[in-house]
Amino acid sequence: MTSQYLSNIALVVRDYDEAIAYYTGKLGFELLEDTRLSATKRWVRVAPPGGAQTALLLAKASSPEQEEAIGRQTGGRVFLFLETDDFERDYRRYHEAGVAFVEKPRGEEYGRVVVFEDLYGNRWDLIGRRGRPG
């Protein structure tokens, strides 16, 4: 049987350090790796607590085309889907940390969801599946 998984999802960022500060400080992600590859390039990986199988690879824009894509990697659609075991806890924590929500939490067939934007304007869903605490 074949076994595969997504290990990293590249996220184009303006600056490594500001991105690390946002994802670890405001969202509570873990810094998994920060390796200098050259004078201008680093291999930086962050992931939500308990979710290190798939990480965000923070990739600093290195061309005008990449700079234009910062915050618009999916043309304004929700880009990333962050599931939590406690929706209310994480919504409250993010709200208190100043995360930019674009709507109020709502109920869906699958559970609770709210859309927020990261520091660059990428849209995320915070999702609490039905049947889980919170």
Side-chain angles (χ1 to χ4, degrees):
M1 175 156 178
T2 302
S3 176
Q4 298 178 328
Y5 66 95
L6 293 173
S7 61
N8 297 297
I9 298 170
L11 179 67
V12 181
V13 301
R14 186 174 35 242
D15 178 83
Y16 291 117
D17 294 323
E18 77 176 357
I20 291 169
Y22 179 85
Y23 291 106
T24 62
K26 289 203 184 250
L27 298 187
F29 283 23
E30 299 170 2
L31 178 61
L32 303 177
E33 187 174 357
D34 185 355
T35 304
R36 184 165 298 283
L37 302 175
S38 72
T40 58
K41 190 172 182 180
R42 290 157 55 184
W43 183 261
V44 179
R45 298 172 60 239
V46 297
Q53 186 171 8
T54 303
L56 288 180
L57 174 67
L58 304 179
K60 184 178 177 184
S62 61
S63 70
E65 293 81 14
Q66 290 178 11
E67 288 174 4
E68 288 178 18
I70 294 172
R72 298 183 316 102
Q73 288 188 211
T74 57
R77 292 187 59 123
V78 170
F79 176 39
L80 297 163
F81 300 81
L82 180 62
E83 291 202 22
T84 177
D85 63 348
D86 191 329
F87 180 87
E88 295 303 327
R89 174 200 64 210
D90 290 339
Y91 173 72
R92 186 173 43 257
R93 185 168 58 88
Y94 288 1
H95 190 270
E96 290 169 1
V99 170
F101 289 94
V102 300
E103 64 180 11
K104 293 192 182 300
R106 66 183 192 280
E108 295 289 347
E109 277 188 43
Y110 52 83
R112 303 265 295 148
V113 65
V114 66
V115 177
F116 69 92
E117 291 181 344
D118 66 17
L119 77 163
Y120 300 114
N122 294 299
R123 290 188 167 211
W124 294 60
D125 271 359
L126 176 64
I127 300 170
R129 292 275 176 195
R130 189 171 308 288
R132 288 191 174 170

